[in-house]
Amino acid sequence: QRQLVESGGGLVQAGGSLRLSCAIGSISRINSMGWYRQAPGKQRELVAALTSGGSTNYADSVKGRFTISTDNAKNTVYLQMNSLKPEDTAVYYCSVDRSTFVGTTRYWGQGTQVTVSS
């Protein structure tokens, strides 16, 4: 499986901001890109998604605070996170869904830790 490379995680105080980046390389036929997160003891959940058509979808808990975007020239997808809360603490993963002849293949990043202190 092709690996996506994430960066930008870290420790931040509540109310602060972070921007996560995910280098997606030369993946083609992309249907959608997304960011997920997984907190200790919890299931992985979708945070934000961006389709190839430009539609976005956000978890209710991050609406108005997080923004997903891409830089096609750099083959990078971003997650801008503002007004961070302690409950945003989790490992964040980027994902890319690619069309294939037999369906869709999802690629994952290795995860980057985001810790928000109160």
Side-chain angles (χ1 to χ4, degrees), residues 64-81:
R65 301 188 297 122
F66 290 11
T67 303
I68 186 171
S69 63
T70 61
D71 183 334
N72 292 330
K74 296 182 179 179
N75 292 331
T76 303
V77 57
Y78 302 99
L79 184 68
Q80 177 66 43
M81 306 185 293

PDB file of all heavy atoms in Angstrom, residues 64-81:
ATOM      1  N   GLY A  64     -16.831  24.811  11.544  1.00  0.00           N
ATOM      2  CA  GLY A  64     -16.541  26.189  11.901  1.00  0.00           C
ATOM      3  C   GLY A  64     -15.164  26.394  12.504  1.00  0.00           C
ATOM      4  O   GLY A  64     -14.718  27.533  12.674  1.00  0.00           O
ATOM      5  N   ARG A  65     -14.473  25.296  12.821  1.00  0.00           N
ATOM      6  CA  ARG A  65     -13.135  25.394  13.417  1.00  0.00           C
ATOM      7  C   ARG A  65     -12.053  24.792  12.525  1.00  0.00           C
ATOM      8  O   ARG A  65     -10.924  25.288  12.514  1.00  0.00           O
ATOM      9  CB  ARG A  65     -13.104  24.692  14.775  1.00  0.00           C
ATOM     10  CG  ARG A  65     -14.086  25.251  15.792  1.00  0.00           C
ATOM     11  CD  ARG A  65     -13.864  24.639  17.176  1.00  0.00           C
ATOM     12  NE  ARG A  65     -14.086  23.198  17.207  1.00  0.00           N
ATOM     13  CZ  ARG A  65     -13.174  22.307  17.578  1.00  0.00           C
ATOM     14  NH1 ARG A  65     -11.968  22.694  17.945  1.00  0.00           N
ATOM     15  NH2 ARG A  65     -13.465  21.002  17.588  1.00  0.00           N
ATOM     16  N   PHE A  66     -12.377  23.737  11.808  1.00  0.00           N
ATOM     17  CA  PHE A  66     -11.403  23.037  10.967  1.00  0.00           C
ATOM     18  C   PHE A  66     -11.737  23.279   9.501  1.00  0.00           C
ATOM     19  O   PHE A  66     -12.908  23.402   9.122  1.00  0.00           O
ATOM     20  CB  PHE A  66     -11.443  21.535  11.227  1.00  0.00           C
ATOM     21  CG  PHE A  66     -10.916  21.098  12.566  1.00  0.00           C
ATOM     22  CD1 PHE A  66     -10.636  21.994  13.581  1.00  0.00           C
ATOM     23  CD2 PHE A  66     -10.695  19.748  12.812  1.00  0.00           C
ATOM     24  CE1 PHE A  66     -10.146  21.586  14.808  1.00  0.00           C
ATOM     25  CE2 PHE A  66     -10.211  19.312  14.032  1.00  0.00           C
ATOM     26  CZ  PHE A  66      -9.942  20.236  15.030  1.00  0.00           C
ATOM     27  N   THR A  67     -10.685  23.304   8.672  1.00  0.00           N
ATOM     28  CA  THR A  67     -10.868  23.467   7.235  1.00  0.00           C
ATOM     29  C   THR A  67      -9.937  22.521   6.495  1.00  0.00           C
ATOM     30  O   THR A  67      -8.724  22.507   6.754  1.00  0.00           O
ATOM     31  CB  THR A  67     -10.566  24.908   6.801  1.00  0.00           C
ATOM     32  OG1 THR A  67     -11.407  25.817   7.531  1.00  0.00           O
ATOM     33  CG2 THR A  67     -10.829  25.082   5.313  1.00  0.00           C
ATOM     34  N   ILE A  68     -10.500  21.759   5.578  1.00  0.00           N
ATOM     35  CA  ILE A  68      -9.700  20.882   4.724  1.00  0.00           C
ATOM     36  C   ILE A  68      -9.479  21.583   3.388  1.00  0.00           C
ATOM     37  O   ILE A  68     -10.387  22.241   2.854  1.00  0.00           O
ATOM     38  CB  ILE A  68     -10.382  19.514   4.533  1.00  0.00           C
ATOM     39  CG1 ILE A  68      -9.461  18.555   3.768  1.00  0.00           C
ATOM     40  CG2 ILE A  68     -11.739  19.648   3.875  1.00  0.00           C
ATOM     41  CD1 ILE A  68      -9.976  17.115   3.727  1.00  0.00           C
ATOM     42  N   SER A  69      -8.267  21.459   2.870  1.00  0.00           N
ATOM     43  CA  SER A  69      -7.947  22.104   1.595  1.00  0.00           C
ATOM     44  C   SER A  69      -6.826  21.333   0.918  1.00  0.00           C
ATOM     45  O   SER A  69      -6.193  20.460   1.537  1.00  0.00           O
ATOM     46  CB  SER A  69      -7.543  23.561   1.802  1.00  0.00           C
ATOM     47  OG  SER A  69      -6.358  23.641   2.571  1.00  0.00           O
ATOM     48  N   THR A  70      -6.583  21.666  -0.343  1.00  0.00           N
ATOM     49  CA  THR A  70      -5.505  21.019  -1.078  1.00  0.00           C
ATOM     50  C   THR A  70      -4.665  22.051  -1.818  1.00  0.00           C
ATOM     51  O   THR A  70      -5.138  23.152  -2.130  1.00  0.00           O
ATOM     52  CB  THR A  70      -6.037  20.014  -2.112  1.00  0.00           C
ATOM     53  OG1 THR A  70      -6.857  20.722  -3.054  1.00  0.00           O
ATOM     54  CG2 THR A  70      -6.830  18.920  -1.459  1.00  0.00           C
ATOM     55  N   ASP A  71      -3.439  21.671  -2.089  1.00  0.00           N
ATOM     56  CA  ASP A  71      -2.553  22.418  -2.978  1.00  0.00           C
ATOM     57  C   ASP A  71      -2.159  21.432  -4.067  1.00  0.00           C
ATOM     58  O   ASP A  71      -1.283  20.589  -3.858  1.00  0.00           O
ATOM     59  CB  ASP A  71      -1.342  22.936  -2.218  1.00  0.00           C
ATOM     60  CG  ASP A  71      -0.440  23.793  -3.106  1.00  0.00           C
ATOM     61  OD1 ASP A  71      -0.441  23.595  -4.339  1.00  0.00           O
ATOM     62  OD2 ASP A  71       0.262  24.653  -2.560  1.00  0.00           O
ATOM     63  N   ASN A  72      -2.841  21.513  -5.192  1.00  0.00           N
ATOM     64  CA  ASN A  72      -2.600  20.524  -6.241  1.00  0.00           C
ATOM     65  C   ASN A  72      -1.174  20.576  -6.781  1.00  0.00           C
ATOM     66  O   ASN A  72      -0.598  19.563  -7.163  1.00  0.00           O
ATOM     67  CB  ASN A  72      -3.601  20.715  -7.376  1.00  0.00           C
ATOM     68  CG  ASN A  72      -5.017  20.369  -6.947  1.00  0.00           C
ATOM     69  OD1 ASN A  72      -5.225  19.511  -6.084  1.00  0.00           O
ATOM     70  ND2 ASN A  72      -5.995  21.029  -7.532  1.00  0.00           N
ATOM     71  N   ALA A  73      -0.599  21.774  -6.806  1.00  0.00           N
ATOM     72  CA  ALA A  73       0.766  21.905  -7.312  1.00  0.00           C
ATOM     73  C   ALA A  73       1.756  21.159  -6.431  1.00  0.00           C
ATOM     74  O   ALA A  73       2.786  20.680  -6.907  1.00  0.00           O
ATOM     75  CB  ALA A  73       1.143  23.376  -7.414  1.00  0.00           C
ATOM     76  N   LYS A  74       1.435  21.073  -5.139  1.00  0.00           N
ATOM     77  CA  LYS A  74       2.335  20.406  -4.198  1.00  0.00           C
ATOM     78  C   LYS A  74       1.854  18.998  -3.856  1.00  0.00           C
ATOM     79  O   LYS A  74       2.485  18.308  -3.045  1.00  0.00           O
ATOM     80  CB  LYS A  74       2.458  21.227  -2.918  1.00  0.00           C
ATOM     81  CG  LYS A  74       3.094  22.594  -3.117  1.00  0.00           C
ATOM     82  CD  LYS A  74       3.219  23.341  -1.788  1.00  0.00           C
ATOM     83  CE  LYS A  74       3.878  24.698  -1.990  1.00  0.00           C
ATOM     84  NZ  LYS A  74       3.985  25.444  -0.709  1.00  0.00           N
ATOM     85  N   ASN A  75       0.728  18.578  -4.445  1.00  0.00           N
ATOM     86  CA  ASN A  75       0.165  17.255  -4.130  1.00  0.00           C
ATOM     87  C   ASN A  75       0.039  17.065  -2.623  1.00  0.00           C
ATOM     88  O   ASN A  75       0.488  16.050  -2.062  1.00  0.00           O
ATOM     89  CB  ASN A  75       1.021  16.140  -4.721  1.00  0.00           C
ATOM     90  CG  ASN A  75       0.975  16.127  -6.234  1.00  0.00           C
ATOM     91  OD1 ASN A  75      -0.011  16.526  -6.842  1.00  0.00           O
ATOM     92  ND2 ASN A  75       2.051  15.687  -6.847  1.00  0.00           N
ATOM     93  N   THR A  76      -0.554  18.058  -1.995  1.00  0.00           N
ATOM     94  CA  THR A  76      -0.661  18.053  -0.538  1.00  0.00           C
ATOM     95  C   THR A  76      -2.084  18.392  -0.121  1.00  0.00           C
ATOM     96  O   THR A  76      -2.727  19.247  -0.734  1.00  0.00           O
ATOM     97  CB  THR A  76       0.315  19.073   0.072  1.00  0.00           C
ATOM     98  OG1 THR A  76       1.642  18.756  -0.354  1.00  0.00           O
ATOM     99  CG2 THR A  76       0.263  19.054   1.587  1.00  0.00           C
ATOM    100  N   VAL A  77      -2.549  17.724   0.912  1.00  0.00           N
ATOM    101  CA  VAL A  77      -3.836  18.050   1.506  1.00  0.00           C
ATOM    102  C   VAL A  77      -3.582  18.542   2.924  1.00  0.00           C
ATOM    103  O   VAL A  77      -2.696  18.024   3.622  1.00  0.00           O
ATOM    104  CB  VAL A  77      -4.794  16.832   1.489  1.00  0.00           C
ATOM    105  CG1 VAL A  77      -4.209  15.635   2.205  1.00  0.00           C
ATOM    106  CG2 VAL A  77      -6.153  17.188   2.072  1.00  0.00           C
ATOM    107  N   TYR A  78      -4.324  19.556   3.318  1.00  0.00           N
ATOM    108  CA  TYR A  78      -4.111  20.201   4.606  1.00  0.00           C
ATOM    109  C   TYR A  78      -5.355  20.084   5.488  1.00  0.00           C
ATOM    110  O   TYR A  78      -6.475  19.939   4.997  1.00  0.00           O
ATOM    111  CB  TYR A  78      -3.798  21.689   4.409  1.00  0.00           C
ATOM    112  CG  TYR A  78      -2.600  21.978   3.562  1.00  0.00           C
ATOM    113  CD1 TYR A  78      -2.732  22.324   2.219  1.00  0.00           C
ATOM    114  CD2 TYR A  78      -1.322  21.908   4.093  1.00  0.00           C
ATOM    115  CE1 TYR A  78      -1.637  22.599   1.427  1.00  0.00           C
ATOM    116  CE2 TYR A  78      -0.208  22.180   3.317  1.00  0.00           C
ATOM    117  CZ  TYR A  78      -0.367  22.532   1.987  1.00  0.00           C
ATOM    118  OH  TYR A  78       0.732  22.787   1.213  1.00  0.00           O
ATOM    119  N   LEU A  79      -5.119  20.193   6.770  1.00  0.00           N
ATOM    120  CA  LEU A  79      -6.205  20.357   7.723  1.00  0.00           C
ATOM    121  C   LEU A  79      -5.819  21.511   8.649  1.00  0.00           C
ATOM    122  O   LEU A  79      -4.899  21.367   9.466  1.00  0.00           O
ATOM    123  CB  LEU A  79      -6.464  19.089   8.540  1.00  0.00           C
ATOM    124  CG  LEU A  79      -7.653  19.177   9.497  1.00  0.00           C
ATOM    125  CD1 LEU A  79      -8.972  19.257   8.704  1.00  0.00           C
ATOM    126  CD2 LEU A  79      -7.692  17.983  10.448  1.00  0.00           C
ATOM    127  N   GLN A  80      -6.472  22.636   8.452  1.00  0.00           N
ATOM    128  CA  GLN A  80      -6.251  23.784   9.323  1.00  0.00           C
ATOM    129  C   GLN A  80      -7.186  23.643  10.518  1.00  0.00           C
ATOM    130  O   GLN A  80      -8.406  23.537  10.348  1.00  0.00           O
ATOM    131  CB  GLN A  80      -6.543  25.090   8.587  1.00  0.00           C
ATOM    132  CG  GLN A  80      -6.399  26.340   9.442  1.00  0.00           C
ATOM    133  CD  GLN A  80      -4.962  26.585   9.872  1.00  0.00           C
ATOM    134  OE1 GLN A  80      -4.032  26.453   9.078  1.00  0.00           O
ATOM    135  NE2 GLN A  80      -4.773  26.936  11.149  1.00  0.00           N
ATOM    136  N   MET A  81      -6.619  23.652  11.707  1.00  0.00           N
ATOM    137  CA  MET A  81      -7.395  23.451  12.931  1.00  0.00           C
ATOM    138  C   MET A  81      -7.259  24.688  13.811  1.00  0.00           C
ATOM    139  O   MET A  81      -6.153  25.007  14.255  1.00  0.00           O
ATOM    140  CB  MET A  81      -6.905  22.203  13.676  1.00  0.00           C
ATOM    141  CG  MET A  81      -6.890  20.950  12.819  1.00  0.00           C
ATOM    142  SD  MET A  81      -6.451  19.466  13.754  1.00  0.00           S
ATOM    143  CE  MET A  81      -4.743  19.833  14.140  1.00  0.00           C
TER     144      MET A  81
END
